[in-house]
Amino acid sequence: MGLAPQDLQFADLMGRLATDAGPELLAAAALCSRATGEGHLCLDLEAFAGREIAGVALPGIGGWRERLRGSGVVGEPGSFHPLILDPAGRLYLYRYWAYESHLAEELVWRAGQPPEDIGPEHRSLLQQLFPAREGVKVDWQKLAAATALCRNLTVVSGGPGTGKTSTVVRILALLTARAPELRIALAAPTGKAAGRLEASVRMAREALPLDREQRQRIPGEASTLHRLLGAEWGGGGYRYHGGSQLPLDVLILDEASMVDVAMMAHLVEALPRRARLILLGDRFQLASVEAGAVLGDLCGDADGFSHPFRERLRAVTGEKVPASPRPHPPPLADSVVYLRHSYRFSEASGVGRLAQAVRDGDAAASLTLLNAQDGPELGRLDDDRLLSGAVAGFRDYLSLVRGGEDPLRVFAAFDRFRVLAAMRRGRRGVEGLNHRLEQALLEAGLLQSREGWYQGRPVMVLQNDYGLRLYNGDIGIVLGGDGPGARVCFPDGEAGLRWIPPSRLPPHETAFVMTVHKSQGSEFDRVLLVLPQEDRPLLTRELIYTAVTRARERFQVCAPDAVWAAAVERRTRRSSGLREALWGPPVSA
């Protein structure tokens, strides 16, 4: 078991601060630090009790707890110690215990607020916005909208094409019809996701069966969470916080699965309790890069509404509303709606069926779909065809670059295809594939050079620069000249385009290939996923599902069967007390 230098350094610090620094404390501190770095909120002591770790024979769970409590640096929940040990045997760094407990308190409070009434005029508008559709047994979009009208907190989870954005636009139409002066904000974790949310909302807004004045009440601008909260330069905190809250009545947060526990805790602290919070996302996607799996924990045990809320929704919507099988579900059960019907993929869709097989952990079914044929929706590439397949995918956009076409057309063509990788390093990681693909494009005559700031080079920003309004994940393309005259062009919403000299860019990298994590919040017509030749722990069901659901029309993969199958069968599990704090102890089967 590998421990990083920072894990050992933290253990050494705890040893120096402790009044009783035995090896059990040092091992627990190092393991807790490592767990947080791997995305867990805490260390589950039970998983390590009685084992030998780094040459230390750890005691049983009871003895280990007692020795930690006597160390002087481990406290109970609510105390102020570097490490917090809760009654369930979860050991936290104090900071992450504070984030989790504050977030849970705020979300439970919001979920517990009594639902508001929906008047007859808004029931009529609800029916107008969600007319009956043939073949749809239960209109989950209508149920989500009615829930958002009633409740202080609403969580809408759904897979690709289930209509999360069109649902939220209709929610905003209903809210602004009831109170036209509402202060509303749309936000997403990254600049790319915010831009996509903005474009989707504007498009859906124009399609509403409402007059122009009603449509114009719905905001069409979205921001990143950092910009919304007023992140200060140099990581000095946020302008908005518990003592100076956001001037909002409604906050819509898209791609909530990408938000880690620290950011979500900051967000709910900065949002007034009277303001509605509506979270959108796909609970089956990858969890955040940083610690926590907030959306997954929020959706965790949702299996239907309480009986009183079910009857309220049925009266308002006329839909057949499922009730929770539990006689007394927690309040959060009435705040979570899962959209089940995909309007993008038909039942026969290859991409849709593959996404469902992966989501369900059915490796055999997913491989059957992939191996059936190299058809219009699904395909396999072997190593010999990997680079030629990628070159074919980028041919259109690079031809437009060489022809000096309008930059907006270039970006549209570039965003139709993307190569995704699971890893950053190695021959089949982002760095190795970008290098190999540049050479292949050069040999195909689609690049004039692969050195420096050549025409058509896609560049991804790796660090926020608030002065330039460039954010981690933003992608620009070098256009308008090579060498010293080169400029990197970035899309800029309604403003069109921005041109930035390369010398002013924050840390960045070439972006013919991007990690699956970085692709979250984006969609492409065609996706090519490259996995390593050997199985790795980071290859999980959630990673594969996220990659598949980036594709609107066609998905291809280059990977051995055994690696694909192992990934589909491996679920991401992050240790946390948040789900239990929100839903109560697990219900026995």
Side-chain angles (χ1 to χ4, degrees), residues 251-282:
L251 173 61
I252 312 284
L253 173 60
D254 196 17
E255 298 290 350
S257 65
M258 299 172 66
V259 183
D260 62 81
V261 70
M263 176 57 80
M264 193 68 83
H266 287 308
L267 182 66
V268 298
E269 179 187 27
L271 187 67
R273 280 188 162 184
R274 58 172 168 69
R276 292 177 199 272
L277 176 59
I278 301 172
L279 304 177
L280 309 175
D282 186 345

Side-chain angles (χ1 to χ4, degrees), residues 229-240:
L229 291 172
E232 298 175 356
W233 290 20
Y238 299 100
R239 176 186 175 189
Y240 295 106

Side-chain angles (χ1 to χ4, degrees), residues 10-21 25-26 71-73 81-82:
F10 178 72
D12 178 66
L13 174 62
M14 292 300 98
R16 286 186 279 117
L17 293 176
T19 55
D20 183 3
L25 169 66
L26 301 182
S71 68
V73 293
H81 289 79

Side-chain angles (χ1 to χ4, degrees), residues 122-446:
H122 296 108
R123 295 187 187 192
S124 174
L125 181 56
L126 184 69
Q127 301 301 329
Q128 179 186 347
L129 292 171
F130 295 94
R133 284 177 282 196
E134 186 177 351
V136 178
K137 294 180 180 179
V138 179
D139 192 338
W140 292 100
Q141 293 184 358
K142 185 192 289 187
L143 290 175
T147 301
L149 276 180
C150 292
R151 307 205 66 85
N152 179 280
L153 169 67
T154 304
V155 182
V156 182
S157 175
T162 52
K164 295 186 291 292
T165 303
S166 60
T167 299
V168 84
V169 168
R170 285 162 172 77
I171 290 171
L172 291 173
L174 289 159
L175 290 172
T176 53
R178 186 159 65 181
E181 302 306 317
L182 282 175
R183 297 168 297 176
I184 301 170
L186 307 176
T190 67
K192 184 72 174 178
R196 184 166 159 262
L197 173 64
E198 198 170 90
S200 299
V201 165
R202 289 174 180 170
M203 184 179 299
R205 179 179 65 184
E206 295 310 308
L208 290 177
L210 302 174
D211 61 40
R212 186 175 183 277
E213 181 180 353
Q214 290 172 306
R215 293 197 305 270
Q216 289 305 308
R217 291 175 187 161
I218 299 171
E221 295 77 37
S223 71
T224 64
L225 281 178
H226 283 87
R227 195 170 10 158
L228 175 75
L229 291 172
E232 298 175 356
W233 290 20
Y238 299 100
R239 176 186 175 189
Y240 295 106
H241 47 76
S244 177
Q245 294 185 307
L246 289 159
L248 292 177
D249 301 304
V250 180
L251 173 61
I252 312 284
L253 173 60
D254 196 17
E255 298 290 350
S257 65
M258 299 172 66
V259 183
D260 62 81
V261 70
M263 176 57 80
M264 193 68 83
H266 287 308
L267 182 66
V268 298
E269 179 187 27
L271 187 67
R273 280 188 162 184
R274 58 172 168 69
R276 292 177 199 272
L277 176 59
I278 301 172
L279 304 177
L280 309 175
D282 186 345
R283 61 176 172 171
F284 297 110
Q285 278 192 29
L286 278 166
S288 56
V289 175
E290 301 298 330
V294 176
L295 183 64
D297 287 339
L298 264 168
C299 296
D301 294 329
D303 52 8
F305 302 107
S306 67
H307 180 75
F309 193 62
R310 173 198 183 195
E311 293 305 307
R312 178 187 291 265
L313 285 179
R314 185 158 60 182
V316 168
T317 66
E319 296 293 319
K320 297 177 181 178
V321 184
S324 172
R326 290 177 286 186
H328 302 290
L332 191 58
D334 292 339
S335 289
V336 179
V337 183
Y338 183 57
L339 304 183
R340 293 161 169 82
H341 184 81
S342 176
Y343 298 90
R344 179 188 304 169
F345 301 127
S346 69
E347 291 185 2
S349 162
V351 176
R353 291 166 64 200
L354 180 63
Q356 183 172 340
V358 172
R359 186 195 70 193
D360 295 342
D362 193 337
S366 67
L367 282 170
T368 297
L369 287 166
L370 285 171
N371 293 331
Q373 60 179 3
D374 191 12
E377 291 190 58
L378 300 175
R380 303 283 300 270
L381 290 179
D382 56 28
D383 286 352
D384 292 338
R385 295 189 297 151
L386 171 58
L387 292 179
S388 61
V391 167
F394 287 123
R395 185 176 296 278
D396 287 348
Y397 112 82
L398 287 172
S399 297
L400 292 176
V401 171
R402 292 191 63 185
E405 294 291 340
D406 180 271
L408 292 177
R409 287 192 63 200
V410 172
F411 275 103
F414 178 69
D415 282 338
R416 284 196 282 270
F417 173 74
R418 199 58 44 88
V419 180
L420 304 181
M423 306 180 303
R424 286 201 51 79
R425 293 180 174 80
R427 182 175 173 78
R428 297 168 74 89
V430 168
E431 295 173 1
L433 284 170
N434 268 319
H435 181 81
R436 294 164 60 198
L437 186 50
E438 282 180 314
Q439 182 61 38
L441 291 167
L442 182 67
E443 292 173 359
L446 294 173

